[in-house]
Amino acid sequence: MDARTPSLETFDADLFRALCEPARLELVSILAREGRSDVTAIADHMVQDRSVVSRHLQQLMRAGVVQRAREGRRILYQLDGLALADRLERMARDVRAMAPNCCPPLA
């Protein structure tokens, strides 16, 4: 990527859209703290109904923040920590690369 041409990919708009909702940020926090959990256990930590929590989890999955796996009759959700870290690291690297051109330090 040319450091002088930032794009939506630089700022990972899908990730920001997924995390801009306070309830989804709370979900990320719960999954980081509790680890792999089903929607009922997650919803126990939130004020939203289980159906609302489930919709938020779906949005986080589409954004690549959360993974799910079936274990017997239960569906368990967990953060995709490595993928999330990779995305954040890429954004930080891209912003550092464009910073000298777009926003040099003030004198």
Side-chain angles (χ1 to χ4, degrees):
M1 176 183 88
D2 183 349
R4 293 167 294 195
T5 56
S7 65
L8 287 179
E9 290 80 30
T10 298
F11 299 107
D12 203 338
D14 290 337
L15 178 62
F16 282 126
R17 270 191 296 275
L19 297 177
C20 74
E21 167 64 41
R24 289 194 289 271
L25 275 177
E26 186 178 357
L27 277 170
V28 169
S29 178
I30 290 166
L31 288 171
R33 186 177 58 250
E34 301 293 325
R36 199 174 213 203
S37 303
D38 65 23
V39 70
T40 302
I42 296 165
D44 286 345
H45 295 281
M46 300 185 71
V47 297
Q48 289 87 358
D49 289 334
R50 187 176 155 220
S51 63
V52 174
V53 171
S54 183
R55 283 194 303 268
H56 284 306
L57 285 166
Q58 295 303 315
Q59 289 176 301
L60 289 169
M61 281 181 41
R62 282 192 296 274
V65 175
V66 168
Q67 298 175 318
R68 75 176 179 189
R70 183 172 291 280
E71 191 174 275
R73 295 174 64 176
R74 295 174 41 201
I75 296 177
L76 299 173
Y77 297 87
Q78 68 183 36
L79 289 180
D80 190 347
L82 293 178
L84 185 56
D86 287 344
R87 291 166 78 179
L88 293 169
E89 288 168 355
R90 183 190 49 76
M91 275 192 289
R93 184 180 57 247
D94 290 351
V95 170
R96 276 191 198 91
M98 71 180 190
N101 296 313
C102 75
C103 34
L106 296 175

